[in-house]
Structure formats: structure tokens, C-alpha cells
Amino acid sequence: MIDLSNWLWPGAGLGLTDAFTRPWWCFSLVLWLLVGAFSLLSQRHDARAGRYWLFFALCFAGNMLLIAALDAVSFYLGFSLMSLAAYGLVIHNNTAKARRAGRLYLQLAVLGEILLFSGLLLRASAAGGQYDWHSWQAVPLEPLSLSLLLLGLGLKAGFWPLHWWLPQAHPVAPAPASALLSGVMIKAGLLGMLMFIPATDTLMQQWAPLLLITGLISAFYGVLAGLLHTQPKVILAYSSVSQMGYLLMLFALLSLTGVAALPVLLAYVVHHGMAKASLFLYAGMAGEAAGRIWRQALFWLAALAMMALPLSSGALVKTALKAKLTAASLPGWLSIDVLSSLLTSGAVLTALLLLHLAAQLRAVKASAVTKASANNTAGRWALFTLLVGTLWALPWFMLQYWQLPLPTLSQSGALIAPVLFAVLLRWLWYKLGWQLPQHYYNRNAPALYYSLKLKRLYQPVSQPQWHWPTITLRPLERRLNRALNRPLVSTTALLCCLLFVMILLSGV
Amino acid sequence: MSPFWQQYLPLSIILSSLLPGLIIFTLKETQVKLRISLNLFGVGVKLLLVLLMWQAVKAGQQFYFSLPFLPGADLVLQGDALSLLFVVLSSVLWLATTIYAIGYLEQSPLRSRFFGYFSLCVSATVGLALAGNLVTFLLFYELLTLATFPLVVHRGTPESLAAGRRYLAYTLSGGVILMLGVALLHSLVQSPLFTPGGYVAAAVSGNEGLLMLAFALMIMVLGVKAALLPLHGWLPQAMVAPAPVSALLHAVAVVKAGAFGIIRLVYDVFGVESMQALQLAQPLMLLAAATILYGSWRALAQQDIKRRLAYSTISQVSYITLGVAMLGPLAAVGGLVHLVHQGVMKITLFFCAGNFAETLGIHKIRELNGVGRRMPVTAMAFTLGALGMIGIPPTAGFISKWYLGLGAAEVGQNWLILVFALSGLLNAAYFLPVVYRMWFLPQSGRWPAEQRLSNRFETHWMLLLPAIFTAILLLLMGLFASTELSPLSWSQLIVEREFRHD
């Protein structure tokens, strides 16, 4: 731990002293470096590469800082640095669509930051001026500060109903940037919740079932909305909304199981980060994969990990999630059977979404891809292979460090069944040509409309304004001058009056 | 350091800018070198003296100098921690502004007059900071009004004359009322030295009505300069003044003089206890909160850069008033530190606005498209200032907002956090689009009136350097807020001394 409170802002301290910040830091660093190396190749022919690297570096610094922060101010600094710099990545392509999405992103990012700021203030004040978040763990939460923190951090984490910017901003950014946005940066919201919302707090335990339900809705909503889109990166963004729903469920379970769910949460974060980053990178290179079986196989490896095929990291975390859910002390109105059957159908939906994604990726034309040298292409695919390889090496780490249980045979069966069912559904769907009417697909998000309305509101050309009645003193002065020009008597009388008033005042 | 010498230190700090100013009036227009060296000599001497005084006050020394003036009210100069906060701010920023003004007015006429009044204005500000009692304060307050008027109307255009008339109408009529207020207070409790904890406490019982009246009168007048809500009208109009003048008006001299007066009035004349006993804080708090939101809201629709900055000042200066009115130690730290932070941030923004106007002829916000490529350093400084105004760490603005927010929670006024949040949103709404235009939009057409002021830099180095200096300063003040040199530590020292007497 580095204590900087005598040098930098008050209370400043950095360090990786916790069970969850250390793996989080390592995982983020690995992903940032891998994707950074990837960007070195993919942005080589980018005309605005300088800008890309500037914002990339700022986001990187912010992200690493916020993980290592031991106090609220350092976290907030890292958080806002990352949020604001990510704007540069979102609008990097500089298309009208990117600028629109960027505007929505920035509006929500600033809103989230202000909410977070207020929440942190209230917490710091409740903790008696301590900025160190470890000392906040024992301070009871209030409804106001809890909701401020949940909203402020949730806007970054992007679960339903705070997901508006995700499906807009992730697809328009360059592929490596979206990989980082979806893979690491949105997790910062979750990390903030872990730091600033003590899981064992009584109020949090009361709210946890609600969060659990919200997470479940988010998990379903993300998939269903994703199925209605045909652009691969939009589908992936919606998939992130759904996966963040699972993570929110785990966060709620943290309160309901008395922090026993922490290893599962961490494993899930790492798993989703790696898998989602791989898929986004692939979506950026899909055109190059046409007709090359190995490249497509790599995609399927990542997708299958996401679908939780046995032996993959997904299988481990999904099984562990279910186990924690059964172990949790749920309130009476939440039936565990309903929940676990919902989780199973959630698995079907996730698989369905990924199959949908695969179909859409096949349709991507190679012509859309800019020409790159053979070395460049080979390098990018090698890095991609490395990323997918890391993803498939994860189960070993999870078993080793977090002691997640290996799924039993029956559990494995329960994992395969939804995938098979999804394949069947997809096949039927394909065969029978089920389609919703065309206008249900690729609808514009209402969020963009409201974002524009908001912009009109804060960039008005004119405002209604009322003028104060202007008092022109000049005529009065003239009249006074004329009055003073009169014979001496009146002037004297005036002066006497003034003097009288002053004496009266001083006499009181 | 002999005691004799020490006694004259406050006086010599004022004289170090007053004497060069008076000499400059007598100079011919062509004696450029002499004028510049006199100016810089004055700045240098002043900074040196201020440094000496700062060292001594930090060690716990008090400075006191008095001249017989009125019966019962001497002319007193006093150097305590609070006055030093303002003195250091105005001296350091005077250095930056002087260099800037030399560059800005390089070819324009009537420079002797300008720099003469410029020095006079700073002398009045420093005198106001060092004033030891209300009568002295009043004297320098009026002097400041008179010294700034020629600066506002310097260009002599009908617009600037109108602005000057309005400025005079506001401030002179205010001055009369201030005198009334001071006289009223003097009749009740005399005019002793400013003391931490105030001096009216003994007279509170029995005189509630008159004390409240005196407070209201004085706040009204100080509110004119600090641009509190119904009395802010002169400030946006005074924007026609040259950029260094606007910078000085907004960051150091006039607006800050009002805010500083409010601080003095609340803490050293009335004191926290009397304020609470008379229930004067709540109305002031409401007024300041309303001004914060109103200023930000009006800033949204301004299309002129300097007008937008002016409305932003109206909003930001009220943070200081609000911090003071909350009457809690943490809020006081926030308010005091914002006095410095806002000054440095706003002066940066005005320097940059002046650079755009002088180099490229840009006055409107929509003309700023793509300026980041043409003038990257200035645009960067502007961006830093804007981020500071919004309150994004690690700029100075974040530190003051953080303390103000903590103070609001400390005194149990949680609704004020909502005010800060809303104002932060509004700040973002009117500053971020400007930043976006500068960096992300391509240049649209030719610059309105481009001048080539330098072969090596994007603009004249004398225009560039002050902006860089203050931009770095605002970053350092935010980053190294805990170090002993930071305004934050100094404000904490003031508040410690102030609240120890309660």
C-alpha cells in the first residue's frame, strides 16, 4: 500500500490489499495489454491513430488507477478519467452514428459521475470524514446514498434499466475499443459497488432480492433485445447487458450468502471479460474469416465458452452461480425452484443469442474489411488465438485459485441440454422460416431521441428572459440638479432632512 | 527582520503596486521599456514582500499597522491568515495578468493610462485584503470601484461606455448603502479590528433588528460585486472590457472583493454564533443557491464566449458565498479554497478566450470549431479550466466541490448536494460542447480575423505563457492538494484559527 495522503489529494492511497482487487487488477492488465497489442496492428493504417492512442492511454491509466484506489477520491479520479476518455474512443470513427452514440454516452457518463459524486460525498460524510473505503464497510448505508451509488455506478455497469448507452456506444467504436469497453471498463461500475456498498449491510440485504430480480430481468432483456438486431456488434452489446445482469445477480447473492459468492463473482468477471473481448475482436475481423475453417473455429471456441459448454470457464461459473443461489437465504416470496428454472431458460436464451450472432457474422462481407498486409493479419490472428487460449486456460485458474467446484456429470448434462435445445430451436426457426415482421428488427433506440431532446434543452439558441424594469437615473439626476440650483433655502432644507435621518439612525 | 520593518510590511505591500502605478501615469506613451520594467519591478517586489509575510503569518505572527483616520476608527492594515489568502492570490495572478496585458495591448493606444489604473486596481484589492476593520475596508472598496471604471471603459466604444455607466450605477449606489451599513454598525458596536469569531456577539440582545438591517444592507452591496442574484446585471455587460481586464475583474479584483467581503462580514464581523443567533445564514444560503443555478442556466444560452464565462462566474462565485453561509468548518474550507481555485480557473479561461479573440478573431462559440488544431496549447489550457469548473478531478475545482459537498452533509443540508449536482450537470452542459467543438469538429471556413503574432508559437508568447502558467497551477492545486503549499492546507489553517474561537 502506498500512502500519498500527504502529497496528493486528501486521503490518497493506492494499493492492492484485497482479495478482489488483486485478481481484478491482473486480469484488467492482461486484457488491456493484449488488446493494446492488437490495436498496434489494427490501428496501424488509421489516419487518427494519435488520437486513438491518447484516449486509449488515458482510459488505461484511469482503469488501473480506479482498481488500485484505496480511497474514494482516487477511485473517482480514475473513474472519471476513464469515463471521459472513453468518449474519444466511442466517437473515434467520426461517423454521424458514432457522434450520436457518443453524445448519449457522454450525457449518461456525466450524469453517472455526478450521481456517484453525490453518493460518495454522503458516504464520506457518514463515515466522519474518512475517505478510505475499507473504513466505510462498517458504516451503515442510507437509502439515499445507496440508491445514488447504485445509479451512478450502474450507469457505467450497464445492466437493465441503465443500459441505454451500451448498445449504442459499443458497436460504433473501433473493435479493440469495444472489446475493452465491454470487457473491462463496464466492470468498473461493478467494482465500485463492491468497494463502496458493504455486502453485509442490513439495508443492502433488504434490497438484495430486488437487485436479484433486476439482474434476472436484465439477463432476459439483453438477450431478447439482441435477437431483434442483425449487426454483430449490437448483438454483442446486448449480450453484455444480459451478462451484466448475471453479474448483478451475483452481487446481490454476495449479500444473501454473506460474501461466500465473491470467488464466483470474480471468476464470472474474468470469464465474461475474456470471452466478450474475444467476440468483439472477432466481430471486427469477421470478414477475414470467411472460408477459413481455423479462424471460424476460434470464434466457436469463444462462443462455446460463453454458452457454458462443460470444461469451459462458462460452465464453471454458471454451475457455481446456481449453487450459490440454492445456498442463499432468500426471502419467502422468491421461490428457489422458479429461479433455477429461470436460470436454465436464461442459458437457452444465451445460447440462442450466440447462434444468432454466428449467423449474422457469416453474413459479414470480406469487402468491408480494409486491406492489411499479410504480417499484420497474421499478427492479429495470433493475438486473437492467444486471447481465446487464455479464455480456455481460465478453468484451470478458477479451480486453482477460487476453488470453484468442477461440475458433476449430471450438472454437465444440465449444461449441455440448454445448448442442444437452443440449437434445435434455431434449426426449427431456420427451417420453418419464422420471422417477425420486418419493422421489429433493428429499431432505433428511443434513448437516442431523448438524448437529442436533451441536447436541444441544454444548447438552446435563446432562452425566454424577463427584463427587470430599467431604472434610468438620468432624468432624476437632472431634476435633482435643477432643484439644487434653486435658492439656498431649499438646499439647506434638503441637507437638514438628510442630517436628521442620519441622527435618527445613529440615535437608535 | 526588525519589528520596525515588520510594522510597515502591510503598507509596503500596498505601496509596491501603488507607487509604480502613480509613476506610470506620468510616463509618455513611447516609454515602453521603462513602463514595462516599472510594472515588473512592482510585481517582483510585491511577490517578495508577500512571501516574507506569508512565512511569518504561517509561523503565527500578526501584522498590524494603523493611522489615525476617524474618531473611533483608525485606518488599520492587518495581515492575518485570511487576508493573506487573498493577497497571495491577487499578487500571483497580478503577475500573470501583467504579462498578459503587456502582450495583449502591445500596439494599442493609451497604455500609460491603462497600466496606471491597472496598478491602482491591484493596490486597492490588496488594501482591501489587508484592511483591518470595516472603515478601512470601505475605503479600499470604494477605491477599487473608482480604479476599475477606467479599465472597463478603456476601449471607449459606446458599448463599453454603456457598460461602464451601468457598472458605476451599480457599484456607486452600492457604495452609499455600504457606508450606511458600516455607519449603522459603527453606531452599535464601533469598528474594532476584524476578529475571528466576530465582535457583534455582545450587542446581539436588544439590537436584533438593527443588526439584521446592517447585515442585509452590507450583503446587498457586497452582493453587487459578488454578483448575487438580483444584482448581477452589470457583470455580463462589463464583458466588453479588454481580456486582461475581464480576467482581473472575474478572478481577482471586483468579483472576488465582494466574495471576500462576505467572508469577512460573516466570520470576522458577525461571527458564526451571532449569525446563528440572528438566523441570517439561511436566507444567504438560499440566495447563493439560487444564484448558482440561475447563473449556470443563463450561461447555457450564451453564444458569446466571454458572456458565457461571465454567467459562469456569477454561478461559481456564489459557491464561495454558499460555503461561507453554511457556517460549518468543512464548508468554510470549501468556500475559502474556492476563492483561490475559482480565481485561477476563471483567469485561465479568460486568458484563453482573449487568445482566441486576439489571434484568430474568435468571439462566438460556434467559431471555435477545430481551434484545437490551430492553437493546441491554448485549447488545452481552456479544456483544463473547463474541466475544473465542472469539478472533474484532478483539477482544483474538484477539491473545492468535494469540500463544499462534505460541508453541506456535515451541517445536515443535504439538499445543497442536489444544488451542487445540478450545477455540475449544467456546468458540463455548457462547457463540454465548447471543448467538443475545439477538439472534435473540423474547422469551418476561415478564421474571422487571423493574425500572425509569433513565428514559433501559436500566438504571442506573452499571451501564451500566463495561460500555461495558470493552467498548470490549477492542475497542481488539485493534484497536490494535501501538501503544505496548497491553498487547501492554507484554508484549513484559516478555518482552524477561525473556528477555534467558537
Side-chain angles (χ1 to χ4, degrees):
Chain A
M1 178 193 159
I2 318 165
D3 180 21
L4 296 164
S5 54
N6 286 329
W7 285 98
L8 302 182
W9 46 91
L14 297 177
L16 299 169
T17 51
D18 289 86
F20 62 90
T21 47
R22 216 171 301 138
W24 206 298
W25 206 79
C26 298
F27 142 73
S28 305
L29 190 66
V30 167
L31 204 54
W32 271 100
L33 290 179
L34 266 177
V35 179
F38 185 91
S39 321
L40 271 180
L41 297 168
S42 70
Q43 306 305 120
R44 166 155 280 177
H45 303 292
D46 188 345
R48 291 185 290 266
R51 205 164 95 176
Y52 178 86
W53 286 109
L54 171 71
F55 291 116
F56 186 91
L58 287 176
C59 281
F60 186 25
N63 199 346
M64 294 333 267
L65 174 65
L66 75 91
I67 300 172
L70 287 178
D71 65 299
V73 178
S74 309
F75 179 86
Y76 187 71
L77 167 61
F79 193 81
S80 50
L81 191 63
M82 188 184 81
S83 292
L84 292 183
Y87 174 72
L89 294 179
V90 170
I91 67 157
H92 182 75
N93 286 337
N94 210 18
T95 55
K97 211 172 165 188
R99 284 200 298 270
R100 215 159 45 214
R103 185 180 63 223
L104 176 67
Y105 169 73
L106 195 61
Q107 285 167 343
L108 290 176
V110 170
L111 180 67
E113 270 180 39
I114 299 276
L115 291 174
L116 176 65
F117 175 74
S118 317
L120 290 180
L121 264 182
L122 287 177
R123 288 293 285 158
S125 183
Q130 291 282 320
Y131 302 151
D132 172 24
W133 60 262
H134 285 100
S135 60
W136 293 6
Q137 298 293 323
V139 181
L141 283 163
E142 295 150 40
L144 180 63
S145 55
L146 179 54
S147 33
L148 282 173
L149 286 174
L150 279 176
L151 285 174
L153 294 163
L155 273 172
K156 170 87 356 200
F159 45 77
W160 180 92
L162 306 169
H163 64 279
W164 308 310
W165 64 275
L166 245 98
Q168 307 302 327
H170 287 193
V172 293
S178 357
L180 288 168
L181 274 168
S182 242
V184 214
M185 290 196 230
I186 54 172
K187 308 291 193 309
L190 195 71
L191 181 73
M193 291 187 193
L194 280 178
M195 284 178 172
F196 300 120
I197 303 177
T200 46
D201 186 84
T202 39
L203 186 72
M204 179 58 206
Q205 278 169 347
Q206 281 168 22
W207 285 30
L210 287 178
L211 288 183
L212 195 72
I213 303 292
T214 315
L216 209 58
I217 297 175
S218 179
F220 277 86
Y221 169 84
V223 172
L224 294 175
L227 283 174
L228 291 179
H229 281 268
T230 53
Q231 290 150 291
K233 286 171 92 180
V234 180
I235 300 173
L236 280 171
Y238 273 113
S239 156
S240 281
V241 174
S242 144
Q243 296 295 314
M244 286 315 285
Y246 286 110
L247 281 169
L248 184 66
M249 283 168 72
L250 271 168
F251 177 70
L253 282 177
L254 216 56
S255 288
L256 297 172
T257 58
V259 247
L262 188 62
V264 188
L265 180 83
L266 291 174
Y268 207 120
V269 165
V270 178
H271 153 71
H272 176 240
M274 293 286 179
K276 193 46 67 65
S278 321
L279 290 176
F280 262 115
L281 288 186
Y282 182 83
M285 309 189 289
E288 295 172 6
R292 292 189 171 84
I293 207 77
W294 272 111
R295 294 184 180 176
Q296 291 189 2
L298 284 173
F299 163 74
W300 280 106
L301 277 176
L304 286 174
M306 201 83 180
M307 289 188 217
L309 209 70
L311 292 182
S312 72
S313 50
L316 282 179
V317 293
K318 284 265 164 80
T319 319
L321 167 62
K322 230 174 207 175
K324 289 300 167 205
L325 196 63
T326 38
S329 52
L330 294 170
W333 49 273
L334 266 178
S335 152
I336 189 70
D337 296 331
V338 176
L339 279 181
S340 53
S341 58
L342 278 176
L343 273 188
T344 312
S345 46
V348 175
L349 282 176
T350 306
L352 210 53
L353 185 67
L354 284 160
L355 291 171
H356 175 61
L357 170 73
Q360 300 304 330
L361 277 171
R362 265 199 301 280
V364 175
K365 294 278 184 310
S367 60
V369 181
T370 48
K371 288 196 183 65
S373 69
N375 280 342
N376 191 321
T377 315
R380 277 184 290 130
W381 282 97
L383 281 168
F384 182 65
T385 316
L386 188 61
L387 190 59
V388 177
T390 323
L391 177 65
W392 276 85
L394 275 182
W396 183 78
F397 281 101
M398 291 177 180
L399 292 173
Q400 203 74 11
Y401 290 106
W402 290 309
Q403 272 94 35
L404 296 195
L406 205 61
T408 58
L409 211 59
S410 65
Q411 279 171 330
S412 300
L415 285 167
I416 295 176
V419 178
L420 288 180
F421 185 60
V423 172
L424 185 70
L425 259 182
R426 176 77 206 171
W427 182 75
L428 274 177
W429 193 335
Y430 187 67
K431 274 287 156 204
L432 301 176
W434 286 343
Q435 280 277 343
L436 288 171
Q438 204 54 44
H439 63 268
Y440 279 97
Y441 287 92
N442 294 328
R443 294 178 75 101
N444 278 331
L448 283 177
Y449 170 76
Y450 292 118
S451 150
L452 188 67
K453 281 272 169 207
L454 185 64
K455 183 197 165 195
R456 291 269 175 276
L457 203 65
Y458 66 68
Q459 290 191 317
V461 181
S462 67
Q463 280 170 336
Q465 43 177 293
W466 58 94
H467 289 284
W468 302 95
T470 45
I471 309 160
T472 40
L473 295 169
R474 186 68 187 141
L476 197 74
E477 189 193 341
R478 278 206 189 107
R479 217 175 303 159
L480 197 71
N481 284 342
R482 245 176 259 137
L484 288 174
N485 263 337
R486 296 269 163 79
L488 209 63
V489 184
S490 52
T491 321
T492 323
L494 194 75
L495 274 177
C496 284
C497 288
L498 276 177
L499 269 177
F500 180 69
V501 170
M502 283 186 78
I503 289 167
L504 203 69
L505 281 173
S506 59
V508 177
Chain B
M1 206 160 50
S2 66
F4 166 78
W5 202 82
Q6 246 182 47
Q7 197 192 347
Y8 287 96
L9 195 54
L11 188 66
S12 38
I13 285 180
I14 297 176
L15 289 182
S16 67
S17 51
L18 187 62
L19 289 182
L22 292 178
I23 300 172
I24 285 171
F25 275 121
T26 66
L27 293 183
K28 287 200 196 75
E29 203 51 34
T30 46
Q31 290 170 299
V32 179
K33 285 219 172 110
L34 181 59
R35 187 173 58 230
I36 290 178
S37 16
L38 259 175
N39 250 324
L40 292 180
F41 174 74
V43 178
V45 171
K46 181 188 282 276
L47 279 176
L48 206 68
L49 295 175
V50 169
L51 186 72
L52 279 177
M53 191 159 167
W54 180 72
Q55 291 274 335
V57 168
K58 200 170 152 193
Q61 245 172 313
Q62 287 267 344
F63 289 89
Y64 180 82
F65 172 83
S66 83
L67 278 175
F69 177 55
L70 286 176
D74 289 348
L75 203 61
V76 180
L77 295 177
Q78 178 192 349
D80 57 4
L82 176 58
S83 52
L84 215 30
L85 182 80
F86 196 30
V87 169
V88 171
L89 171 75
S90 47
S91 314
V92 172
L93 293 189
W94 188 41
L95 169 71
T97 321
T98 304
I99 295 174
Y100 189 82
I102 293 170
Y104 193 88
L105 295 169
E106 204 161 44
Q107 302 302 331
S108 59
L110 292 173
R111 270 172 294 169
S112 282
R113 188 183 82 182
F114 180 87
F115 281 106
Y117 281 114
F118 202 68
S119 303
L120 224 60
C121 172
V122 172
S123 316
T125 312
V126 173
L128 190 127
L130 290 169
N133 58 19
L134 264 180
V135 175
T136 322
F137 183 85
L138 175 67
L139 196 76
F140 282 112
Y141 194 84
E142 293 299 306
L143 202 64
L144 182 62
T145 305
L146 297 178
T148 39
F149 173 72
L151 295 177
V152 173
V153 299
H154 180 73
R155 291 226 168 103
T157 56
E159 255 182 319
S160 59
L161 285 174
R165 253 201 312 280
R166 185 138 185 221
Y167 172 65
L168 266 197
Y170 270 83
T171 44
L172 278 188
S173 48
V176 176
I177 300 174
L178 181 64
M179 186 138 90
L180 201 65
V182 172
L184 184 58
L185 206 64
H186 186 86
S187 70
L188 290 170
V189 287
Q190 297 296 313
S191 292
L193 287 179
F194 291 134
T195 36
Y199 54 74
V200 301
V204 164
S205 57
N207 289 322
E208 283 92 351
L210 281 177
L211 278 176
M212 276 156 96
L213 177 66
F215 185 79
L217 285 175
M218 284 191 275
I219 281 292
M220 206 167 98
V221 180
L222 296 169
V224 168
K225 283 211 172 147
L228 277 177
L229 190 49
L231 306 166
H232 63 277
W234 62 274
L235 189 61
Q237 208 181 347
M239 279 306 87
V240 291
V245 176
S246 315
L248 202 68
L249 284 187
H250 281 257
V252 194
V254 177
V255 178
K256 280 304 159 56
F260 180 78
I262 292 177
I263 297 175
R264 273 283 192 225
L265 190 66
V266 169
Y267 284 129
D268 292 347
V269 175
F270 277 77
V272 175
E273 278 169 29
S274 314
M275 287 289 290
Q276 276 162 349
L278 295 169
Q279 294 180 328
L280 291 168
Q282 193 74 24
L284 188 59
M285 202 149 59
L286 285 173
L287 190 62
T291 312
I292 288 176
L293 294 180
Y294 176 79
S296 294
W297 183 71
R298 283 303 301 275
L300 287 176
Q302 306 306 322
Q303 306 300 323
D304 187 294
I305 303 172
K306 281 172 83 182
R307 275 186 82 86
R308 188 172 284 197
L309 292 181
Y311 276 105
S312 155
T313 302
I314 293 175
S315 153
Q316 293 281 337
V317 168
S318 287
Y319 277 79
I320 305 170
T321 313
L322 189 57
V324 170
M326 280 191 262
L327 298 181
L330 279 175
V333 171
L336 288 172
V337 82
H338 201 55
L339 185 85
V340 178
H341 287 170
Q342 193 268 350
V344 177
M345 293 190 292
K346 195 39 75 68
I347 210 167
T348 311
L349 290 172
F350 268 108
F351 283 160
C352 294
N355 283 0
F356 294 142
E358 200 59 12
T359 320
L360 303 176
I362 292 173
H363 295 97
K364 299 285 177 203
I365 283 166
R366 69 184 134 74
E367 295 163 348
L368 277 171
N369 291 5
V371 118
R373 292 196 178 276
R374 171 66 176 78
M375 301 175 70
V377 180
T378 311
M380 195 64 228
F382 190 94
T383 308
L384 280 175
L387 290 182
M389 284 291 171
I390 304 168
I392 307 280
T395 54
F398 170 74
I399 299 289
S400 30
K401 276 206 179 166
W402 179 256
Y403 272 88
L404 284 168
L406 279 181
E410 182 195 40
V411 295
Q413 308 272 4
N414 279 349
W415 63 276
L416 283 176
I417 294 183
L418 181 71
V419 172
F420 293 134
L422 269 179
S423 167
L425 281 180
L426 287 171
N427 269 298
Y430 64 78
F431 273 127
L432 288 184
V434 180
V435 174
Y436 172 75
R437 273 176 192 281
M438 289 195 304
W439 293 108
F440 292 106
L441 285 185
Q443 182 184 343
S444 53
R446 292 168 58 83
W447 305 115
E450 188 170 1
Q451 285 186 54
R452 189 127 202 104
L453 293 173
S454 162
N455 292 325
R456 294 183 57 190
F457 306 110
E458 58 195 49
T459 182
H460 197 288
W461 69 269
M462 278 186 151
L463 299 180
L464 201 55
L465 195 65
I468 298 175
F469 170 67
T470 49
I472 290 177
L473 206 59
L474 81 88
L475 207 57
L476 291 184
M477 289 192 309
L479 261 180
F480 300 104
S482 291
T483 46
E484 285 198 359
L485 285 170
S486 74
L488 181 65
S489 326
W490 192 257
S491 309
Q492 278 164 340
L493 179 85
I494 297 173
V495 169
E496 230 169 71
R497 292 184 183 174
E498 199 73 47
F499 279 77
R500 204 195 296 150
H501 292 263
D502 284 0

